[in-house]
Amino acid sequence: MKFRHFCFIAATLFSAFIHAQRPNAEKQITLTGTVIDSETGEPLEYATLVLQSIDNPEQVTGGVTDQTGTFSVEAPAGKYNVRVEYISYRPYTLNNQNLTQSKDFGTIKLSLDVAQLDAVEVVGEKTTVEVRLDKKVYNIGKDLTTSGATVSDALSNVPSVTVDVEGAISLRGNENVRILINGKPSALAGFGSTDALRQLPADAIEKVEVITSPSARYDAEGTAGILNIVLKKEKTLGFNGSVNINTGYPINSRVNANLNLRTNKFNLFTTLGHFYNEPPGYAYFDNTYFDSKFSRITEDRDMNRLNKGVNANIGMEYFLTDKSSITGSFFTRFSDEQDGTENNTTRYIDTDIDSRTLRREIENEDDNTYQYSLNYTNNFNDEGHKLTADFQYSTDKEDVNTDIDENQYYPDDELINLEKVTEVEKENEYLLQADYVLPMGDAQFEAGYRGNFEKNTNDYQLDTYNFSSGEFETNYNLSNKFTYEQNVNAVYSQYGNKLGKKFSFLLGLRLENTRLKGKVDSELDDEQLIDTLGFDFDPDFDKNYLGLFPTVNLTYEIKENENITLGYNRRINRPRGWFVNPFPSRSSRANIFQGNPDLEPAFSDAFDLGYLKRWEKLTLTSSIYYQRETDAFERVQTETGQQTSDGIDIIRTIPINLSTNQRFGGEVGVMYNAIKWLQFNGSFNFFKFNTDGEYQGVDYGTESTSWFSRLSAKVDLPSSIDWQTNGFYMGPRQNSQTKSDGMMSIDMAFSKDIMGDNATVSLNVSDLLNSRKRRSYTESYDDMGNLSFTSDSEFQWRQRQFTVSFIYRFNQPKNQRGNRGNRNGGGNNGGDEGGGEFEG
């Protein structure tokens, strides 16, 4: 049986069942008709005929159209309200119909519901942009270069957003960006990192909201702003979905199934996925020392990673009434990862090679994530009067076992070091949220509460090999248990209105209380800890912050398709757990990362002036912005004054608070659909920043100017083949110690619809030129202003990737497979963190 006929057959069987249950004396009639698109005249397959009895409103029957747009439904004679529905179209209604005889409704023409589509053209093949008072919304179209790719890959194609070679996400060149899923912090986005975004399929995204001037309804976290990833949720009645299979080289395979069953009473949805990949990478460091036993040390690292696992998201939305619903969902991810790193190190005295060593590190990690969500939504009316309440619990456990051995192979063969690292990291997060929206004519009032409670525990044990006894012994100097808690309680209120026909404003105020607590459990006392770790800190800290975060967003409509926006907001950047954990990493004996427990939150004030203009085939967006951040985070490299057992100076990277960071820049984006077979997108972002501040007597102030640009062109070739090319260039940049070279990358893809347009096969080449590499040069000075060491480095996280993808969709009309009709997030209140939208 073909999947695409499932809905029709199910409806027919349902009608037959109803008929069989009726007394023989009850007269049956047959209702027929054809449903088409009013503009194109194309038949609408799986349009729904709904018959609601007037005498018994709970009695609802009906059916769906076949591939020719025709329906034929048997029903008991009686009085009905008749409705024909199709996703994103205005329904056709006939109320109080006394149907005593069989009837042919003839041809029923349905038109697109422009209001439902948020007053923009939403076509599945195209990416469109909406500008609202507090954000830009990019409705993701059919982007071929992300077919078979991940959410992280898809974000790299969104204007204003960059994703570096390690997966770190930046907004306008600033990494302090808050990542939300469907308007909320989520285990789907990972705990304090973006690794989980590399495991979610890109085709799960409906839209990405780039929120550079967040309103008061949003968490104040993230000084750069917010990226809200809204996932798809089907609104079509019946059973539908898609299956996506892809494989590639280097080894990269993924299978995903998105399934949805919707009735008039409930909506059941699930996403299931399995992934397996082996992405190779490498790094190279060339360090020069000016007051050390060794004058130069090079490190050549080869990284071979194996990642495999499954993820599942299942939920159900139950419609309590026509206006209210309750949604429960469960998400889990199990991953098994093995990372192997070989580090070849060469040590020089002057220009002569002193010794060579090989360090092998095998890390095995089991990661289990669970998330439970519950949402209640009550739309009091169709005017936007709304109450939502959410509860979410997320938990994650990582078990990491690492074996490290280091051998010298020149001038002699000698075992230098053996280590075993056992690490168990647990994270729990609770979220409570309530939002209320009250429209008042052209005005709108909102208020709400959010409580976010996180606890992270890292239990770390280091065992080193004792050459004398021939046994492993626990290193109590570095073994520890570090607990970090971050609790945030917030209330907000905001008010929006229109003054005349052209001017709109949205004013908000958010009050947040942040409590940060950290505790170190160790065999050492506080004084011994400070001596061992090499800097002064409080091993048991408890910090409390109360802050007001105002927002102002203004819009002036010059014309219907032209407007100017002005926004101001105050934000906070709270340090994550690994930024405050004082114990060093073990990826290298000579180059380590240590957190800083004395790190304070950073605060920023940002202004944004934007301009948008739409023509028939061209959309232009632009803005200029300014941000001033106090106590900004900066990672610096310093000498610890300590050496390894074989006399290598240990270099430490540590995050610090600089006094100020000022950033200003401008961006422009163009979406151009010149002719039917060509689509073109381009964006350019220029920015400059100044930092001031010092640490341990060293001035880390700097000034830097950089830019990045993105171009994308999609061409419809003969034989229904689509071709898309994306180009990206990141200009050179620098911070207080490090200068990074520019970086260019090109992605290319081809696709073709097959099997009657129910399936698509595509070929995707990511990083066609294999040029996505970070090349950097670092200089470090001591407190006397003397150059202590320099470091030349090159890093590539993932090599050029070839991917072949096959996707099959069932019970999904072709014109619905992009964004049309997918207006809600996956299993919650529609993807908005607050209760509603004020567009002005």
Side-chain angles (χ1 to χ4, degrees), residues 471-486:
E471 296 180 351
F472 282 91
E473 298 177 351
T474 300
N475 183 335
Y476 290 105
N477 286 342
L478 296 179
S479 297
N480 70 94
K481 183 177 182 180
F482 180 67
T483 302
Y484 183 63
E485 295 182 52
Q486 177 180 289

Side-chain angles (χ1 to χ4, degrees), residues 46-63:
Y46 302 111
T48 307
L49 172 70
V50 180
L51 302 172
Q52 183 176 35
S53 172
I54 294 177
D55 297 329
N56 182 12
E58 295 298 321
Q59 179 183 325
V60 179
T61 187

Side-chain angles (χ1 to χ4, degrees), residues 409-705:
Y409 61 91
Y410 177 84
D412 302 309
D413 290 333
E414 179 185 359
L415 177 63
I416 296 178
N417 187 41
L418 282 177
E419 294 180 348
K420 292 182 179 291
V421 177
T422 303
E423 189 173 4
V424 178
E425 184 174 3
K426 298 179 182 178
E427 180 148 5
N428 294 300
E429 181 175 355
Y430 293 89
L431 171 70
L432 297 172
Q433 181 173 326
D435 298 280
Y436 177 73
V437 181
L438 177 63
M440 298 175 290
D442 287 337
Q444 182 167 289
F445 170 79
E446 294 185 42
Y449 162 81
R450 167 181 282 189
N452 215 82
F453 312 99
E454 302 177 43
K455 183 177 181 179
N456 180 286
T457 302
N458 190 296
D459 198 341
Y460 179 93
Q461 180 175 317
L462 172 64
D463 296 326
T464 56
Y465 184 74
N466 187 318
F467 290 92
S468 299
S469 65
E471 296 180 351
F472 282 91
E473 298 177 351
T474 300
N475 183 335
Y476 290 105
N477 286 342
L478 296 179
S479 297
N480 70 94
K481 183 177 182 180
F482 180 67
T483 302
Y484 183 63
E485 295 182 52
Q486 177 180 289
N487 299 325
V488 180
N489 285 280
V491 292
Y492 80 91
S493 178
Q494 63 183 25
Y495 175 77
N497 203 346
K498 296 187 70 172
L499 299 179
K501 296 182 178 181
K502 294 182 176 295
F503 183 75
S504 305
F505 66 88
L506 181 62
L507 308 177
L509 185 64
R510 189 176 185 92
L511 175 67
E512 289 194 352
N513 175 252
T514 301
R515 188 175 185 184
L516 306 177
K517 297 174 62 178
K519 183 180 181 181
V520 175
D521 291 318
S522 170
E523 296 291 328
L524 306 180
D525 59 32
D526 291 355
E527 187 174 330
Q528 290 172 324
L529 269 177
I530 292 171
D531 290 340
T532 299
L533 298 180
F535 63 98
D536 191 13
F537 70 96
D538 183 359
D540 189 1
F541 61 85
D542 189 347
K543 304 175 183 178
N544 205 306
Y545 306 89
L546 184 66
L548 282 173
F549 301 91
T551 62
V552 178
N553 289 292
L554 312 174
T555 296
Y556 180 76
E557 295 184 12
I558 302 172
K559 298 178 182 178
E560 182 179 357
N561 294 319
E562 185 178 13
N563 63 53
I564 296 174
T565 59
L566 176 64
Y568 161 77
N569 65 91
R570 180 168 171 78
R571 312 285 296 162
I572 185 174
N573 188 24
R574 307 178 185 93
R576 301 297 300 179
W578 68 286
F579 254 44
V580 294
N581 189 336
F583 290 88
S585 65
R586 303 296 293 175
S587 59
S588 169
R589 290 191 302 140
N591 293 279
I592 64 173
F593 177 89
Q594 273 183 281
N596 180 5
D598 291 334
L599 203 63
E600 301 287 339
F603 294 87
S604 74
D605 294 275
F607 298 85
D608 187 288
L609 177 63
Y611 172 77
L612 175 137
K613 172 72 172 177
R614 282 195 185 95
W615 292 270
E616 182 179 356
K617 297 180 179 180
L618 175 68
T619 299
L620 171 70
T621 60
S622 61
S623 64
I624 56 175
Y625 53 87
Y626 169 78
Q627 180 188 69
R628 184 178 187 274
E629 186 173 354
T630 58
D631 288 330
F633 298 167
E634 182 78 19
R635 279 174 281 196
V636 299
Q637 288 183 305
T638 64
E639 291 187 294
T640 62
Q642 301 173 341
Q643 293 184 332
T644 63
S645 57
D646 48 350
I648 304 175
D649 289 340
I650 298 176
I651 305 300
R652 172 178 61 204
T653 299
I654 186 171
I656 63 170
N657 290 115
L658 286 179
S659 56
T660 60
N661 181 326
Q662 297 187 79
R663 179 185 298 263
F664 54 90
E667 62 182 350
V668 61
V670 174
M671 294 184 180
Y672 185 47
N673 299 304
I675 46 183
K676 185 177 181 180
W677 54 268
L678 174 64
Q679 298 172 35
F680 174 83
N681 295 336
S683 63
F684 177 83
N685 192 305
F686 171 87
F687 58 91
K688 180 178 181 179
F689 65 86
N690 299 304
T691 60
D692 296 308
E694 64 176 39
Y695 177 69
Q696 294 183 343
V698 178
D699 184 5
Y700 289 104
T702 190
E703 180 178 299
S704 178
T705 300

